[in-house]
């Protein structure tokens, strides 16, 4: 039927793309019904017919038509009345009614529209007109139905998003629950902070609610309608060319920087103390330039009542950040808030599990209130979560083992954070069964993409495996390795009581040559074993060399952190750092590492050890420069200054000659670890550092 194809094409449709729908034909003249049947049958719709108004209503309730072609002039009940009754019926009110009539006067058409009709078809029927109008109305009806369904779906999604947002905000604001004097003081301080645009530093122990405080301050400020943008400082790109406020990404496409996104709002710098030097300068420039129109709120840990920053942190930036501070109290100062916090976490985790919240046993609440919570909110929520998941009755009780001092992690409990760095945190811990103290290194992959997570995991596993296979008493001993329930990697090593060589020189001054020679021989013992096994440490520096007391022995040196060790026997060993990354620490890096030579030999560790010796004797690095690249070029090109000229103490000629050979530009000109060990012993210097001198220093 060519005319049918033409009619469908006129309204933008093809015959094979018509969705079958239900059409009710109503006319008291059989011939008219037959004409309509013949006209519409090839469209593929489901057609039914009625010859009166009452029969039309009866069939409409049974078949629920999408469209009704309705004759106006019928005996008994005319088409207008049929339409009125259909539109009054909730089940039929959305049905499309198209009147069919020979009446052409305007008043008849107006009446049809008033009772709910959508259109008129004039008798006698023209097939092309009937098909065009029916097809158009059905298409519009289908689009409206789809639009309604999509709107309903969007409303459900919006409601779900609103519920998730409310739940997230409730969870985020949990640290601020309570009415203790400590938290009331925090609320007063937050209210004052919300009325100013000054840069704010929030300090406190880990997991005390710094981000919750920052978001509350933002919400109460004049900037509340503008964005709150979070920058995770430890995970910022470490390249010296990187922008502190790296581009945000949407579907893999670089968009505006985080600084641009935060314009007019708040920029939250989490763990600002872990920024590198280049990013520190960018932040200082930002604080001194009001044209950016951004409020900065930062966090840093607190020790001995003051915000803690590394010694190499930009002094002026430290000064700027410390001008206006807010301290978050630990849970031990908020005992009055514990009942409210416990009830909140119980309720939250029961909702997550889809179960009613149990009553908290009075003795359990007393236990929780009386506990010291060294892990603060993180530990409290963990204890509540474990207790809720284990609960089988209507009364919640907490097992005593969960309230042993510290945060549970496998068979250990973390009791005190010893330090943190770009790769993770180190905690003091106790084995729950053996009562043995240990140091636990944690690495979290939160915020990493799949490739970063895989690379970090491989690096972390290598550090544990390599360290476990080394037996030298001068290499830190590995006890255990695992993955927590939250996906955090950890390994457990011996807990050392002492100080690293960087802090030893910084706090107590340079060391006498005899002691330096003695310590170097101990490093050589560790490296000689590692090098014999085909391993290169790649990050020998004072901070990774730790002196300790073992029983009655003093000045025992331990080599730490085999985290970027390379293993010549594995094909992927050179891929443990990113392709453009320099392996090592700039002040102690070998020329070949500075040139990013992929395959480093054991002689790279010897060069770094020479830099360590230089630091121990002179109290200053071999080379200094304003940028990482300039420093790397000095290691590559310049001759080291003589120790005897840089040191304030006499340096034995034999020791100076050995150290300068370690600093040779060509790896082949440097001694091996075992040769260096023998050469140092031959000077007689290590033997001159005796137990009396060591005792005096340690006391």
């Amino acid at each position: 039927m060519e005319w049918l194809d033409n009619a469908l094409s006129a309204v933008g449709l093809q015959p094979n793309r018509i969705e079958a729908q239900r059409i009710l034909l109503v006319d008291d003249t059989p011939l008219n019904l037959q004409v309509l049947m013949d006209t519409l049958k090839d469209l593929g719709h489901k057609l039914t017919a009625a010859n009166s108004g009452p029969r039309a209503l009866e069939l409409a309730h049974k078949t629920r038509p999408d469209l009704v072609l309705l004759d106006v002039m019928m005996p008994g009940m005319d088409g207008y009345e049929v339409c009125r009754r259909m539109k009054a019926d909730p089940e039929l009110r959305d049905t499309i009614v198209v009147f069919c009539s020979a009446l052409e006067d305007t008043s008849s058409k107006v009446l049809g529209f008033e009772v709910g009709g959508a259109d008129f078809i004039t008798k006698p029927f023209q097939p092309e007109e009937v098909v065009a109008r029916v097809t158009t109305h059905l298409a519009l009806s289908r689009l409206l139905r789809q639009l309604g369904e999509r709107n309903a779906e969007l409303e459900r999604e919006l409601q779900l998003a609103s519920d998730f947002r409310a739940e997230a905000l409730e969870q985020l604001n949990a640290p601020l629950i309570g009415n203790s004097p400590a938290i009331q003081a925090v609320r007063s301080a937050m209210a004052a902070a919300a009325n100013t645009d000054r840069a704010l530093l929030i300090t406190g122990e880990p997991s005390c609610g710094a981000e919750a405080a920052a978001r509350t301050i933002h919400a109460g400020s004049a900037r509340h309608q503008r964005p709150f943008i979070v920058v995770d400082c430890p995970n910022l790109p470490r390249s010296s060319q990187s922008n502190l406020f790296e581009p945000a990404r949407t579907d893999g496409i670089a968009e505006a920087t985080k600084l641009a996104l935060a314009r007019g709002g708040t920029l939250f710098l989490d763990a600002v103390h872990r920024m590198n030097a280049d990013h520190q300068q960018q932040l200082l420039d930002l604080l001194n330039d009001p044209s950016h129109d951004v409020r900065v709120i930062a966090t840093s840990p607190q020790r001995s009542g003051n915000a803690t920053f590394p010694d190499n942190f930009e002094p002026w930036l430290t000064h700027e950040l410390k001008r206006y501070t807010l301290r978050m109290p630990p849970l031990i100062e908020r005992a009055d808030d514990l009942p409210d916090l416990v009830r909140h976490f119980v309720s939250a985790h029961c909702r997550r599990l889809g179960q009613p919240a149990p009553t908290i046993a009075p003795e359990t609440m007393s236990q929780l209130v009386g506990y010291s919570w060294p892990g603060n909110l993180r530990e409290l929520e963990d204890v509540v979560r474990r207790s809720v998941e284990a609960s089988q009755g209507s009364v919640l009780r907490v097992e005593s083992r969960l309230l042993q001092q510290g945060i549970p992690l496998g068979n250990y409990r973390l009791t005190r954070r010893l330090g943190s760095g770009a790769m993770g945190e180190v905690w003091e811990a106790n084995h729950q069964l053996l009562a043995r103290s240990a140091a636990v290194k944690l690495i979290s992959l939160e915020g990493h993409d799949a490739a970063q997570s895989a690379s970090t995991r491989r690096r972390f596993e290598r550090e544990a495996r390599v360290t476990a296979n080394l037996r030298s008493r001068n290499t830190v001993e590995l006890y255990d390795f695992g993955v927590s329930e939250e996906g955090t990697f950890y390994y457990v090593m011996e807990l050392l009581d002492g100080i690293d060589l960087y802090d030893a020189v910084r706090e107590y001054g340079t060391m006498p040559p005899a002691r330096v020679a003695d310590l170097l021989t101990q490093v050589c013992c560790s490296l000689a074993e590692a090098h014999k096994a085909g391993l290169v440490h790649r990050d020998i520096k004072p901070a990774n060399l730790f002196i300790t007391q073992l029983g009655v022995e003093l000045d025992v040196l331990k080599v730490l952190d085999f985290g970027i060790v390379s293993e010549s026997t594995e094909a992927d060993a050179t891929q443990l750092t990113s392709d453009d990354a320099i392996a090592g620490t700039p002040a102690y890096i070998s020329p070949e590492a500075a040139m990013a030579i992929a395959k480093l030999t054991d002689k790279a560790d010897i060069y770094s050890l020479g830099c360590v010796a230089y630091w121990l004797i002179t109290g200053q690095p071999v080379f200094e420069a304003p940028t990482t690249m300039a420093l790397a070029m000095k290691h590559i090109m310049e001759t080291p200054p003589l120790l005897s000229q840089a040191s304030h103490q006499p340096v034995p000629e034999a020791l100076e000659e050995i150290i300068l050979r370690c600093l040779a530009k060509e790896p082949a000109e440097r001694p091996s670890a075992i040769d260096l060990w023998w050469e140092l012993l031959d000077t007689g210097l290590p033997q001159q550092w005796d137990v009396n001198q060591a005792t005096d220093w340690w006391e």
Side-chain angles (χ1 to χ4, degrees), residues 65-106:
D66 298 291
L67 182 142
V68 178
L69 288 179
L70 181 59
D71 186 21
V72 173
M73 303 302 295
M74 294 184 296
M77 182 186 297
D78 63 16
Y80 295 136
E81 182 60 24
V82 172
C83 186
R84 286 192 189 94
R85 296 191 183 190
M86 290 181 64
K87 295 301 177 180
D89 189 328
E91 295 181 351
L92 300 174
R93 66 176 54 162
D94 294 328
T95 303
I96 302 169
V97 175
V98 176
F99 286 110
C100 302
S101 176
L103 301 173
E104 295 185 357
D105 59 288
T106 301

Side-chain angles (χ1 to χ4, degrees), residues 425-656:
E425 298 178 345
V426 179
W427 285 72
E428 181 178 344
N430 290 315
H431 193 282
Q432 296 188 56
L433 300 178
L434 302 178
R436 177 180 63 184
S437 296
V440 176
K441 184 171 184 179
L442 308 175
I443 294 182
S444 175
L445 303 183
E446 183 178 353
H448 289 200
D449 58 29
Q452 290 173 321
S453 297
S455 176
T456 302
R457 177 169 183 164
R458 288 168 54 214
R459 173 173 172 175
F460 180 63
E461 290 175 342
R462 178 185 297 277
E463 178 175 0
R465 175 164 48 82
V466 167
T467 306
N469 288 329
L470 298 176
R471 292 292 179 263
S472 170
R473 73 189 296 268
N474 296 115
T475 300
V476 66
E477 183 180 356
L478 182 74
Y479 294 154
D480 198 2
F481 167 80
V483 182
S484 73
E485 294 178 357
E486 294 77 22
T488 298
F489 296 97
Y490 69 89
Y491 72 81
V492 186
M493 55 189 173
E494 60 180 317
L495 180 65
L496 302 173
D497 178 19
I499 189 171
D500 66 60
L501 294 186
Y502 178 80
D503 285 339
V505 170
R506 186 189 61 175
E507 295 184 22
Y508 303 107
T510 57
M511 296 183 179
R515 188 184 190 192
V516 172
D518 178 64
L519 295 175
L520 293 180
T521 60
Q522 296 187 64
V523 179
C524 287
C525 288
S526 173
L527 292 181
E529 181 191 21
H531 293 168
K532 185 178 180 180
L535 308 173
V536 182
H537 188 288
R538 300 206 299 177
D539 198 20
I540 294 295
K541 60 184 178 181
N544 280 340
L545 303 176
F546 198 93
I547 49 176
T548 184
Q549 304 178 66
L550 292 182
V552 297
E553 294 183 84
L554 302 176
D555 252 18
V556 178
L557 184 139
K558 295 281 188 175
V559 179
L560 311 179
D561 201 356
F562 279 77
I564 57 174
V565 67
S566 69
E567 189 170 359
S568 58
T569 58
E570 293 197 12
D572 66 345
T574 60
Q575 301 303 316
L576 288 177
T577 54
S578 59
D579 294 338
D580 60 349
I582 295 177
T585 302
Y588 307 93
I589 196 170
S590 67
E592 57 269 32
M595 290 187 288
I597 293 177
K599 199 68 172 178
L600 297 179
T601 69
D602 60 317
K603 299 299 180 69
D605 287 346
I606 300 301
Y607 183 94
S608 299
L609 187 55
C611 294
V612 170
Y614 201 99
W615 162 261
L616 297 178
I617 291 175
T618 68
Q620 61 189 46
V622 178
F623 299 114
E624 294 183 284
T627 66
T628 300
M629 186 57 66
L631 186 57
M633 291 305 299
K634 287 193 174 188
H635 281 290
I636 295 169
M637 303 294 296
E638 294 189 11
T639 301
L642 296 175
L643 281 84
S644 53
Q645 296 176 354
S647 176
H648 297 294
Q649 60 179 323
V651 182
E653 185 176 340
L655 181 60
E656 181 173 34

Side-chain angles (χ1 to χ4, degrees), residues 101-415:
S101 176
L103 301 173
E104 295 185 357
D105 59 288
T106 301
S107 60
S108 297
K109 293 181 178 181
V110 169
L111 179 58
F113 290 127
E114 287 178 348
V115 298
D119 203 353
F120 268 86
I121 296 177
T122 304
K123 294 180 180 180
F125 301 121
Q126 299 296 320
E128 295 89 343
E129 180 186 9
V130 172
V131 169
R133 291 184 184 274
V134 166
T135 301
T136 298
H137 282 293
L138 288 177
L140 288 173
S141 174
R142 184 169 62 252
L143 290 174
L144 287 173
R145 185 174 66 254
Q146 292 172 348
L147 182 60
E149 291 171 353
R150 181 55 181 155
N151 283 340
E153 182 181 347
L154 287 174
E155 287 180 5
R156 288 193 299 272
E157 291 176 358
L158 285 172
Q159 184 59 50
L160 188 61
S162 178
D163 293 343
F164 282 150
R165 180 178 182 274
E167 185 174 344
L169 288 175
E170 180 184 9
Q171 190 69 10
L172 184 64
N173 290 328
L176 306 178
I177 291 173
N179 289 294
S180 67
I183 204 64
Q184 288 186 33
V186 167
R187 290 199 190 100
S188 297
M190 289 192 301
N195 291 325
T196 177
D197 272 350
R198 294 168 59 188
L200 173 67
L201 180 67
I202 301 178
T203 67
E205 296 179 8
S207 189
C208 283
E211 183 175 349
R215 289 184 180 274
T216 301
I217 291 168
H218 171 77
S221 72
R223 298 176 177 270
H224 67 278
Q225 293 185 327
R226 302 298 298 161
F228 180 93
I229 303 298
V230 176
V231 176
D232 184 15
C233 296
N235 288 324
L236 284 169
R238 302 190 66 79
S239 167
S240 60
Q241 287 78 35
S242 71
N243 185 345
L244 168 59
F245 311 107
E246 77 280 8
R249 292 189 171 270
T250 303
D251 295 331
I253 301 174
E255 300 289 350
T257 66
K258 289 190 175 182
L259 177 59
L261 291 173
R263 193 172 303 280
T266 298
L267 197 66
F268 179 66
L269 304 177
D270 195 23
V272 69
H273 62 292
R274 292 171 63 182
M275 276 186 173
N276 67 31
D278 296 299
H279 295 154
Q280 293 170 30
Q281 185 58 52
Q282 293 170 23
L283 176 56
L284 185 59
D285 293 341
L286 169 64
L287 294 176
N288 291 327
D289 185 0
S291 66
H292 287 292
D293 188 23
V294 169
R295 197 304 173 61
V296 172
I297 300 180
T299 71
S300 75
Q302 183 182 39
R303 189 176 300 160
S304 301
N306 295 309
T308 301
F309 289 92
D311 289 334
N312 60 352
F313 204 82
E314 168 60 46
W316 279 106
L317 180 57
T318 302
H319 173 74
E320 287 296 316
L321 291 173
K322 285 187 174 182
R323 290 176 64 182
Y324 190 29
T325 64
L326 185 156
R327 175 182 176 271
M328 296 301 295
L331 280 187
I332 197 170
E333 297 178 13
R334 300 177 53 191
D336 293 348
D337 297 332
L338 260 298
D340 290 335
L341 288 167
V342 170
R343 283 189 285 267
H344 166 79
F345 286 129
V346 168
S347 177
H349 286 292
C350 286
R351 283 201 307 271
R352 176 178 60 84
L353 296 172
Q355 64 187 42
T359 302
I360 303 169
E363 63 273 18
T364 289
M365 186 63 81
S366 298
Q367 281 181 293
L368 298 177
V369 172
Y371 182 60
S372 61
W373 301 109
N376 291 298
L377 288 157
R378 172 183 169 186
E379 183 181 5
L380 172 62
E381 184 173 8
D382 182 75
V383 167
V384 169
R385 176 182 62 81
R386 290 168 180 261
S387 300
V388 167
E389 290 174 352
S391 177
Q392 296 182 350
S394 60
V395 178
L396 181 72
R397 290 182 171 83
V398 173
E399 295 182 28
S400 297
R401 66 177 183 85
L402 294 179
L403 294 181
Q404 296 172 9
Q405 195 75 2
I407 306 167
L409 181 74
N411 291 322
Y412 294 85
R413 297 192 74 85
L414 309 181
T415 57

